[in-house]
Amino acid sequence: QQQRRQQQGQQQLVECTLEELYAGTTKVLSSNGAPYSVEVKPGYKAGTKISFNERSTFVIAEKRHPLFKRTGNDLTFWCEVGLPQILTGSRQRVKTLDNRVLSVEFGPLAFWSVVPREGMPLSRSPGEKGSLTVYASPISAQQWEALKTWGTIAKYITGLYIFVNYSSLIMPLLMVYQLFRATAGG
């Protein structure tokens, strides 16, 4: 088994920014003392393996991006807007991974807009791209994640409150449940 692992060689991570995975890039890396020119094609995903021989395999790793989040071939972008813009509609400017500026329109009370063919390129279908979803919200993406976490915590606190304050109901409910099981099973 150890000989088999040595024959397979080691896998080396190739860390790429989202911009590099969007446009494609070439990185010169060394493996087992030899230099390799690793071509990262547009649209490659984290986990994509590039092998040169049995002993040199490179695995794509995606660095976290401060503005965009990738899910498959789709991208999401979060922009903060004020309450008046949400109520009346607005137009938001989004700088893409290839430095173009898109103008994304939001109607009144619209919290997201999907822009087709502005996501990541499809590595196996040149010329095709995923979608870009732009969210407009009065809170940031980080605040939204924190709210989701607090929502989960609030559910547990509510359950604990009901358990503590209405614990006298637990025994009768358990008795009814046992009676129901006994009659249904018999």
Side-chain angles (χ1 to χ4, degrees), residues 102-167:
L102 300 177
S103 182
V104 181
E105 178 123 9
F106 291 89
L109 299 175
F111 291 97
W112 70 87
S113 181
V114 178
V115 185
R117 295 176 303 284
E118 288 295 341
M120 294 296 289
L122 279 64
S123 61
R124 295 186 180 181
S125 300
E128 292 187 39
K129 293 182 182 177
S131 297
L132 168 64
T133 303
V134 181
Y135 292 95
S137 174
I139 61 172
S140 70
Q142 293 82 9
Q143 290 169 327
W144 180 252
E145 289 300 319
L147 278 176
K148 288 196 311 189
T149 301
W150 280 108
T152 303
I153 292 170
K155 288 179 193 173
Y156 286 120
I157 291 173
T158 303
L160 182 62
Y161 173 81
I162 290 170
F163 178 76
V164 169
N165 288 313
Y166 299 101
S167 59

Side-chain angles (χ1 to χ4, degrees), residues 13-86:
L13 289 180
V14 180
E15 292 193 5
C16 297
T17 65
L18 209 48
E19 288 85 355
E20 290 172 328
L21 293 173
Y22 183 89
T25 188
T26 301
K27 296 193 173 210
V28 178
L29 302 167
S30 64
S31 177
N32 299 322
Y36 290 93
S37 181
V38 180
E39 182 185 358
V40 179
K41 293 184 180 175
Y44 271 6
K45 297 176 182 168
T48 300
K49 293 181 180 180
I50 303 166
S51 297
F52 287 92
N53 53 42
E54 292 177 0
R55 299 187 59 155
S56 299
T57 301
F58 297 91
V59 181
I60 302 295
E62 183 180 306
K63 292 181 182 177
R64 188 167 188 224
H65 197 277
L67 300 174
F68 290 92
K69 182 179 178 190
R70 180 180 188 177
T71 306
N73 296 314
D74 298 328
L75 293 172
T76 57
F77 180 85
W78 198 282
C79 58
E80 288 184 62
V81 297
L83 191 56
Q85 286 113 349
I86 289 176

